[in-house]
Amino acid sequence: MNSTSVRALLVRGMLAGLVAGVFALAVAYFLGEGPVDAAIAFEEAHSEGHHEGGEELVSRTVQSTAGLATGVLVFGLAVGGIAGLAYCVALGRIGRFGPRATAALVSAGALLAAYVVPYLKYPPNPPAVGDPDTIGERTTLYFLMIVLSVLLTVAAVLVGRRLAPRLGNWHATVAVAAGFVVAVGLAFAFLPSFDEVPEGFPASVVWEFRLATLAIHATLWTVFGLVFGELAERLLTPGRAGRRTSAERTSAPVG
């Protein structure tokens, strides 16, 4: 793949990430802000007198609107560009898949490796949950889990490609999936865990917050896969797209 195509796919990846960010923003606002407000209310109710005279640098209204939009859209733009570059590497190297199918596989792999697996070990917590003294350690371990998960996913794909000629696609896929689960399980067993939910904190708020974050990322990667797949299809197989459009016009009823 030449540099022009890579640059074009990078730009389309960023565009698709921005579009996906808009949808993820809607999910974040309607599903995520409620649990955040409830967690903040709990924190304020149990810390009366500790922050008297403190001035709020950024209002909650700004945080839940402009701040949320900026964070989600910039994140979508960034991961869209990264996924676009990953797509350039994966295209034609993970099987005989077309541009759209490859985009779907890259999106699914990104969701699994970069979010779902780390999420299962270190699920996100709303405000007021977590010891401030361990935030550095927790952040480091979370990013370590992301790196391990991504590396294991890449290794699984490479090993699967080597095993496929000897075992067949089905058995090779089962073998690498089992190996991936075992490796992730070992990482889960050896890495430390944290249980820092304060006494009396509503379990329903934690559950709703974690479910909302999962929905945000699932929406982001699903929309990205669909949008980027269509953009990549039009870029890489323009003749096929043109023939399909002409066929649709020909088959359309007259009158």
Side-chain angles (χ1 to χ4, degrees):
M1 183 176 292
N2 57 48
S3 59
T4 303
S5 297
V6 172
R7 185 163 51 252
L9 287 170
L10 171 62
V11 172
R12 283 162 175 75
M14 295 175 70
L15 177 60
L18 187 61
V19 174
V22 172
F23 284 85
L25 174 61
V27 176
Y29 183 79
F30 289 107
L31 292 185
E33 286 304 303
V36 171
D37 287 337
I40 291 175
F42 176 90
E43 185 177 33
E44 291 177 348
H46 290 76
S47 60
E48 293 180 356
H50 295 286
H51 301 286
E52 290 183 359
E55 183 178 351
E56 191 176 37
L57 298 179
V58 181
S59 69
R60 175 65 188 134
T61 301
V62 174
Q63 292 176 14
S64 62
T65 53
L68 178 65
T70 301
V72 174
L73 294 179
V74 170
F75 178 77
L77 193 69
V79 298
I82 295 172
L85 294 177
Y87 178 88
C88 296
V89 176
L91 187 63
R93 294 185 174 90
I94 57 175
R96 297 180 179 178
F97 299 103
R100 282 183 293 199
T102 303
L105 290 173
V106 169
S107 298
L111 176 63
L112 175 68
Y115 189 74
V116 173
V117 171
Y119 172 97
L120 294 175
K121 177 60 179 177
Y122 299 114
N125 290 320
V129 175
D131 185 353
D133 294 334
T134 64
I135 187 170
E137 182 182 2
R138 286 185 283 119
T139 302
T140 300
L141 289 170
Y142 178 75
F143 281 105
L144 174 61
M145 193 67 238
I146 292 177
V147 172
L148 286 174
S149 179
V150 171
L151 291 177
L152 288 173
T153 302
V154 173
V157 173
L158 296 176
V159 172
R161 287 193 62 203
R162 289 183 174 273
L163 292 179
R166 286 180 288 174
L167 302 181
N169 291 333
W170 172 255
H171 292 97
T173 301
V174 172
V176 298
F180 179 82
V181 171
V182 170
V184 169
L186 289 174
F188 280 20
F190 284 102
L191 289 176
S193 300
F194 299 91
D195 183 11
E196 300 176 344
V197 179
E199 184 178 356
F201 192 91
S204 60
V205 174
V206 177
W207 168 249
E208 290 171 3
F209 179 82
R210 291 175 177 176
L211 189 62
T213 59
L214 183 60
I216 292 166
H217 284 266
T219 300
L220 178 76
W221 287 111
T222 299
V223 175
F224 173 83
L226 294 174
V227 175
F228 182 71
E230 189 62 32
L231 294 176
E233 178 83 16
R234 291 177 179 273
L235 174 69
L236 300 174
T237 56
R240 183 185 304 175
R243 288 194 298 271
R244 184 167 55 249
T245 302
S246 299
E248 290 173 352
R249 290 175 179 173
T250 303
S251 62
V254 179

